[in-house]
Amino acid sequence: MPHSFSGTLSPVKKDELTADTVAVGGLSWREHAVARSLDSARLRAESRVQRFLDAASELFDSGPGREFTVQEVVERSGQSLRSFYQYFGGKHELLLALFEESVRSTSEDLRERIGRKDGALERLHCFVVEYYGMCQPRVGKSEAGVSGRPPFMAEFAQQLLTAHPKEAARVFAPLVSLFEDVLEEAAAAGLVRPELCDGPIIGAVLEAIMFNSFSSTIAGLSARPVDHGSAEDLWDLILHGISTRSFS
């Protein structure tokens, strides 16, 4: 039975029938109203998720080799355990989200730094050296302008690549895409062998840079502070491995 309505509606003026009053993207008015509600809910969800991520990041930074429990994250975020499990299936998913954010921000930072360099060789060099610095373990609380990641994040990255390759591929996609662009530009300039751009060399180079932080351990040496010379040594090794000609 049709609904009956009482009362009157004010007449709509012609100049009020603007483009803004037309349903957007082919949605009906009902769908548009629901979408507004969903947008509001999405914003609340994004805010709550970010608070969990911020809390986990702060816990990582609170001490050398620091790990954490889900309960600690919940308490630090000021939210509930029930709320946590609304957004994450457990600690593994939280770490995935945290690592994904780390890779995304690293890629954006690298793209900005590379964009300030002139020439394909300089941009390739910038990628290797700067990414090397970003991958080094960060001991203690981070300081402004200091790159690096907590040691446990490097360990998690290694576990992710080994046990969850599909998830790892998705997480590393922004970084891989950036390196592909840099490598293709270098190949177009005749600096590196073009066949390498479509092969496994991209993953091999990224892996060499990322896990170079374990080189001292493998060699039986004591850990040493990150220095520019170490980054340049790695750059020299990579360049001579992929270049089309020798560089002095």
Side-chain angles (χ1 to χ4, degrees), residues 202-219:
I202 292 175
V205 172
L206 291 177
E207 185 179 13
I209 298 171
M210 186 184 313
F211 296 116
N212 192 261
S213 57
F214 295 106
S215 60
S216 296
T217 302
I218 294 171

Side-chain angles (χ1 to χ4, degrees), residues 73-91:
V73 173
V74 168
E75 291 174 357
R76 196 175 190 97
S77 71
Q79 301 182 97
S80 68
L81 191 62
R82 178 182 177 184
S83 179
F84 176 87
Y85 284 108
Q86 282 183 316
Y87 303 111
F88 301 102
K91 183 178 178 180

Side-chain angles (χ1 to χ4, degrees), residues 87-171:
Y87 303 111
F88 301 102
K91 183 178 178 180
H92 177 73
E93 288 189 9
L94 174 66
L95 289 174
L96 268 176
L98 195 63
F99 193 66
E100 188 175 53
E101 283 290 294
S102 173
V103 172
R104 181 191 57 76
S105 62
T106 294
S107 301
E108 292 175 353
D109 190 9
L110 274 173
R111 188 176 293 278
E112 182 180 342
R113 297 186 190 196
I114 290 168
R116 295 197 292 264
K117 301 297 181 179
D118 296 321
L121 184 62
E122 289 74 15
R123 282 190 277 273
L124 181 59
H125 173 263
C126 179
F127 182 97
V128 173
V129 172
E130 295 292 342
Y131 186 45
Y132 173 89
M134 293 175 179
C135 288
Q136 297 310 294
R138 187 172 65 223
V139 180
K141 208 167 183 180
S142 61
E143 300 176 3
V146 176
S147 300
R149 65 170 56 129
F152 181 63
M153 286 299 284
E155 294 173 14
F156 179 71
Q158 194 173 37
Q159 293 169 11
L160 184 63
L161 288 163
T162 303
H164 305 279
K166 290 183 178 179
E167 292 175 345
R170 185 171 64 252
V171 168

Side-chain angles (χ1 to χ4, degrees), residues 175-223:
L175 192 61
V176 170
S177 177
L178 174 59
F179 188 50
E180 284 176 340
D181 292 344
V182 173
L183 203 58
E184 286 172 2
E185 182 189 25
L191 299 171
V192 302
R193 302 193 300 276
E195 68 272 14
L196 298 179
C197 298
D198 298 320
I201 190 65
I202 292 175
V205 172
L206 291 177
E207 185 179 13
I209 298 171
M210 186 184 313
F211 296 116
N212 192 261
S213 57
F214 295 106
S215 60
S216 296
T217 302
I218 294 171
L221 304 173
S222 58

